[in-house]
Amino acid sequence: MIRNIFKSTAIASLGALLLLGGCTSNFEDINTDPDALETGSPTNQLGYVLRYTASQYGAIDATESWAGYMVKIQYMDNYSYLPTNNTYGNKFACSYRCNVQLDDVLKQTEANADELKNIRWATRIWKEFLWLWCTDQFGAIPYAEANKIEEGTVKGKYDSQEVIYTAILKNLKAIADEMAVETGSDKIGEGDFLFNGDVNKWRKFCNSLRLRAAMRIVNVAPELARSTVEEIGSNLSTYPVLDSSDDNAYFNWQGSSPYFEPWYDNFRTRDDYGMSNIFVAHLTSTKDPRISTIMKPAESDNEYRGYENGALAAPSNLKTISRMGEFYRENPSGFTPFLKSCENYFIMAEASLRGWNVSLSAQEAYETAVKISMDDNNVAVADAEAYLAGAGKWDNTLDRVYMEEWVALFKNNLEAWSLYRRTGYPKAIQTSGEYPGKFSIYGTSHTDVPFRMPYPDNEYLYNADNLNAVTSGLVDYVWGEKMWWDTRTGVK
């Protein structure tokens, strides 16, 4: 919290004292606003952090294109992806500023930790969410030495993703084990915009976040990934996960200025985005019933039609391109998805296919995931069943799991981009030749969407030595280095 804010009357009084040449022993009293709170309310601080995170996590930021969903149809991109303190820089800053607020909540509640378990658990879980979100965007980031100004560290060194992921999974497990013993009796309060004070959903969210982080590193830390997923997936009573559309970790916007859902806020005044060719082609070829919720037919002929991802010129007739569906774009009090319940079951389906010990078969987990996704998109049960008996029928392959997961993650663009970077699915993002960046300022040698976001300009200005230690070998700001967990070959 910002404390000791000068009031105009206090400044005037202090100025008078200085003019008289005197000193005062009660400077602190004069310099303290009697109407200002000495400390923040923990639930208000949590609410601020959730709202701030949602504004950045759900923002229009190019990940919608990197995930293969959306394309620019006006004001085409020059694909510079240069360091900036806006857009990508805002996301980087959000992680650190929110962690400062959450650390303050933990400090305030430390003396009464036993009586304030629930608000402290929610706070600790969200800290791990922020770190995971940040590292999945940028790669190596300041972590162990981050936000240590009071301890004398102004410029934090960068930690590797291996260090960060290991710590995140360790911390989340500690919280999950604590919550498995007994939940607290305190109320999280009105600032819990995510689960409305339901501590059991926070418990589920904690374990769901563990699944996400564990499967992300399956190709580089397979034992840690497997042990984590098996611990949760084989014992869902002790480690429950979000398991229905009602459980989804959605931030629902207030719906009035300035708290509009970000895509609606864009919709009010702009029309810059249409659907991508590869997304439209997949949904139409499989006759996926989610298509009518996800997108609108083109105004020109009522047909679903996409546009090239990475095109240099806008379409000659904007009415020929499908737009995002009303459900996702035209609701002022719409939602920003942090974690969809179906994601957990896609992870367990993948785990089962890998031969890991989870409580559901691959087919059971897969079909559960698809049904939840259909429910997310307001698809009737009969239509969902028909899809699972037809184009979506289980075929015992990771290809089917990955492609269905990609569709289900729509609007959770960062996670879809991360799924692609980890698995290479959907393959059409690369094989179609339609990807943002093929005409980038870095040349035409790139064969893929960006691997990461550029670090903010402030890091180059104020933390250059530490940043240079992890970027010295980069070819350019975004494609130069893949995530630690991205083991794909043949991409550059």
Side-chain angles (χ1 to χ4, degrees), residues 12-279:
S13 299
L14 180 59
L17 287 171
L18 292 175
L19 286 172
L20 291 172
C23 296
T24 178
S25 61
N26 60 343
F27 180 85
E28 183 70 18
D29 293 334
I30 294 173
N31 190 35
T32 300
D33 183 350
D35 298 322
L37 294 173
E38 280 295 307
T39 59
S41 162
T43 191
N44 289 351
Q45 288 177 270
L46 176 64
Y48 167 80
V49 165
L50 293 174
R51 196 280 309 165
Y52 186 9
T53 308
S55 70
Q56 294 302 319
Y57 192 85
I60 302 171
D61 57 10
T63 56
E64 64 280 341
S65 295
W66 301 348
Y69 295 139
M70 309 291 293
V71 299
K72 283 281 190 74
I73 57 172
Q74 294 199 71
Y75 310 105
M76 311 308 282
D77 201 333
N78 64 2
Y79 314 111
S80 64
Y81 304 132
L82 294 171
T84 172
N85 291 326
N86 300 316
T87 313
Y88 312 120
N90 286 338
K91 296 174 180 297
F92 191 90
C94 176
S95 297
Y96 292 91
R97 290 172 181 169
C98 287
N99 262 294
V100 169
Q101 289 286 332
L102 296 176
D103 284 339
D104 189 61
V105 170
L106 293 176
K107 183 177 180 180
Q108 285 186 61
T109 57
E110 186 173 9
N112 302 103
D114 290 340
E115 291 78 36
L116 298 171
K117 290 180 179 179
N118 293 337
I119 185 71
R120 287 177 62 82
W121 278 326
T123 298
R124 290 163 62 194
I125 292 167
W126 203 253
K127 281 178 61 66
E128 303 308 322
F129 177 89
L130 289 167
W131 290 127
L132 184 63
W133 172 48
C134 192
T135 189
D136 281 348
Q137 294 172 103
F138 298 97
I141 55 173
Y143 175 70
E145 294 185 356
N147 297 338
K148 302 292 186 183
I149 293 178
E150 292 185 357
E151 299 173 19
T153 301
V154 177
K155 301 178 180 181
K157 72 176 182 64
Y158 280 64
D159 289 301
S160 69
Q161 286 195 296
E162 182 175 9
V163 167
I164 297 166
Y165 261 85
T166 301
I168 287 172
L169 285 168
K170 179 181 178 181
N171 294 340
L172 287 173
K173 174 173 169 52
I175 298 168
D177 286 340
E178 291 172 23
M179 298 185 85
V181 175
E182 183 182 25
T183 55
S185 58
D186 61 298
K187 295 184 182 299
I188 297 176
E190 295 182 353
D192 183 4
F193 299 133
L194 199 58
F195 297 123
N196 297 315
D198 189 334
V199 68
N200 288 315
K201 287 188 178 180
W202 276 102
R203 182 183 175 192
K204 290 181 176 183
F205 180 70
C206 176
N207 289 308
S208 302
L209 203 56
R210 294 174 68 198
L211 286 181
R212 173 184 284 179
M215 192 57 84
R216 187 90 83 232
I217 61 174
V218 65
N219 295 322
V220 288
E223 290 308 312
L224 179 56
R226 178 172 184 161
S227 63
T228 302
V229 173
E230 285 189 335
E231 179 178 60
I232 299 167
S234 65
N235 194 4
L236 292 171
S237 59
T238 301
Y239 300 110
V241 298
L242 302 172
D243 60 5
S244 69
S245 296
D246 289 338
D247 275 358
N248 287 338
Y250 284 179
F251 181 93
N252 292 288
W253 289 86
Q254 182 182 1
S256 59
S257 183
Y259 303 114
F260 290 126
E261 188 278 323
W263 280 95
Y264 171 80
D265 200 28
N266 175 267
F267 166 75
R268 292 188 306 142
T269 58
R270 304 184 68 87
D271 187 24
D272 301 341
Y273 287 86
M275 309 308 295
S276 80
N277 278 337
I278 66 168
F279 198 32

Side-chain angles (χ1 to χ4, degrees), residues 434-445:
E434 298 184 6
Y435 49 85
K438 61 184 174 181
F439 303 115
S440 107
I441 63 169
Y442 304 111
T444 58
S445 60

